Amino acid sequence: MIAVIEKTNKGYTARFDRHLKHPVEEVWSWLTENEKLAKWFNELRVGELQEGGRMTFDMQNGTLEELPIYEFKMYSVLEFSWWAETIRFELAPEKEGCKLTMIEKLAEITDHTPKDLAGWHVCLDVIEALMDGRTIERMEEWKKWYEKYQEAVGEAVQK
């Protein structure tokens, strides 16, 4: 399901909701353990996993960017800087697994926004697939979702 994109008084939010058939602790491990994180987002790593800590992003040119962690609640909230944006993961137990919500707070919409949103969408699909023991052809999926996010972003801007 495509993310819900809404205008706010500080820009926009893109909200991705997933209902996963895995316990909170397992899903949390895919967001916070570097060995698992590398399997779905190779450039992103946990530095210091705490509020006021940091994530790191390997720019693939020998530089590591530090992304401060704004909010951290074990097994429920991980929110960190994504340069001008903010990424927030929320986990909540459900009867048959858990709900994973990812919210990207967008300062503005740019031509790059649909690309990023499609990328996050596929990342969430990859996490689910890995937990289910499946694989996903990332580029094919990204192309499909990119078209949908171009349309969704255009609609959000027109509102």
Side-chain angles (χ1 to χ4, degrees):
M1 188 167 150
I2 196 161
V4 175
I5 304 164
E6 295 179 319
K7 185 156 180 45
T8 69
N9 56 358
K10 293 184 179 181
Y12 294 84
T13 59
R15 180 185 181 102
F16 302 81
D17 287 311
R18 302 294 173 93
H19 298 276
L20 305 172
K21 295 186 186 308
H22 301 275
V24 164
E25 295 80 8
E26 183 181 354
V27 177
W28 183 258
S29 73
W30 284 92
L31 303 175
T32 61
E33 293 177 14
N34 285 333
E35 185 179 294
K36 291 181 177 179
L37 196 53
K39 293 179 181 180
W40 65 271
F41 203 134
N42 191 45
E43 299 83 5
L44 189 62
R45 295 290 180 277
V46 171
E48 299 165 50
L49 194 57
Q50 62 189 25
E51 201 161 304
R54 64 185 162 76
M55 304 292 284
T56 61
F57 189 92
D58 185 343
M59 300 298 288
Q60 305 292 302
N61 63 6
T63 311
L64 282 182
E65 290 277 336
E66 291 193 0
L67 305 168
I69 295 175
Y70 299 137
E71 188 174 352
F72 175 84
K73 292 180 185 157
M74 188 70 153
Y75 299 121
S76 68
V77 177
L78 175 61
E79 180 177 280
F80 55 92
S81 166
W82 195 251
W83 293 274
E85 277 46 85
T86 302
I87 297 296
R88 180 180 179 90
F89 291 102
E90 298 174 351
L91 292 174
E94 291 186 323
K95 192 174 184 178
E96 295 185 22
C98 75
K99 180 178 181 182
L100 167 62
T101 300
M102 188 200 121
I103 301 167
E104 183 170 7
K105 298 174 187 172
L106 303 155
E108 63 180 343
I109 298 288
T110 68
D111 290 344
H112 201 72
T113 301
K115 294 175 185 174
D116 287 345
L117 295 177
W120 282 116
H121 187 108
V122 172
C123 282
L124 296 174
D125 287 349
V126 169
I127 292 170
E128 184 173 11
L130 289 167
M131 287 190 298
D132 290 346
R134 298 180 287 113
T135 58
I136 286 180
E137 173 46 54
R138 288 176 188 245
M139 192 46 85
E140 287 304 311
E141 285 296 303
W142 181 86
K143 287 177 189 173
K144 177 178 83 176
W145 288 107
Y146 173 58
E147 288 180 25
K148 293 178 181 185
Y149 280 102
Q150 283 181 302
E151 190 176 309
V153 166
E155 289 173 8
V157 170
Q158 291 175 350
K159 286 183 180 176

